[in-house]
């Protein structure tokens, strides 16, 4: 709202941006932000942080509490943002936006559209 935007704070793209920001701030606070840069190509595909020889990645656990975890929920947008930001969080891709239960496959193009907010304009 500081920049004149009055809507769009509660969607998948906003959750992704929040997760990305949190990850970068955590890594900066612990001093490993220069070593773990995160995903530099945001394309909706699976990204896992690889451990370096002399420095382990920052590990976190996603606790959703009592919230129902449905496929495509905003909490998983925040999870994807944190993963792309460089955090190591144990997860499965079957809850990300665009996952097809019948085909057991993540539609990365649809997931990328959700991350960039293109599904909102449709």
């Amino acid at each position: 709202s500081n920049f004149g935007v009055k809507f769009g704070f509660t969607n998948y793209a906003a959750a992704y941006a929040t997760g990305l920001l949190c990850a970068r701030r955590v890594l900066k606070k612990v001093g490993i932000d220069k070593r773990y840069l995160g995903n530099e190509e945001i394309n909706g595909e699976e990204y896992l942080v690889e451990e370096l020889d002399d420095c382990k990645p920052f590990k976190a656990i996603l606790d959703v509490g009592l919230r129902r975890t449905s496929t495509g929920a905003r909490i998983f947008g925040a999870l994807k943002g944190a993963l792309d930001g460089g955090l190591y969080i144990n997860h499965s891709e079957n809850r990300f936006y665009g996952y097809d239960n019948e085909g057991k496959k993540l539609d990365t193009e649809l997931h990328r559209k959700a991350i960039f907010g293109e599904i909102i304009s449709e």
Side-chain angles (χ1 to χ4, degrees):
S1 64
N2 293 340
F3 301 104
V5 179
K6 297 183 180 15
F7 57 88
F9 301 124
T10 58
N11 55 45
Y12 196 87
Y16 175 86
T18 302
L20 186 65
L21 178 65
C22 289
R24 297 313 304 163
R25 285 187 176 177
V26 164
L27 293 178
K28 184 171 184 154
K29 188 169 188 169
V30 296
I32 57 175
D33 59 325
K34 302 284 190 255
R35 309 213 51 186
Y36 288 100
L37 299 176
N39 191 0
E40 295 178 359
E41 184 180 332
I42 309 302
N43 53 14
E45 294 179 3
E46 184 73 18
Y47 175 76
L48 297 173
V49 176
E50 294 183 16
E51 187 173 325
L52 301 175
D53 291 334
D54 57 340
C55 182
K56 292 188 176 192
F58 190 90
K59 293 183 180 180
I61 298 172
L62 177 68
D63 181 11
V64 295
L66 297 175
R67 293 193 56 108
R68 183 163 296 232
T69 56
S70 59
T71 301
R74 291 183 309 234
I75 189 72
F76 298 113
L79 170 65
K80 177 64 174 152
L83 292 168
D84 285 349
L87 296 184
Y88 177 83
I89 304 171
N90 192 15
H91 69 285
S92 174
E93 67 178 14
N94 66 347
R95 290 296 183 186
F96 289 143
Y97 190 92
Y99 185 80
D100 181 25
N101 280 329
E102 285 81 36
K104 304 291 184 202
K105 186 178 166 198
L106 178 66
D107 183 355
T108 57
E109 183 62 28
L110 189 59
H111 193 210
R112 189 191 70 74
K113 285 182 178 182
I115 289 170
F116 286 108
E118 295 174 13
I119 59 169
I120 299 167
S121 64
E122 293 177 357

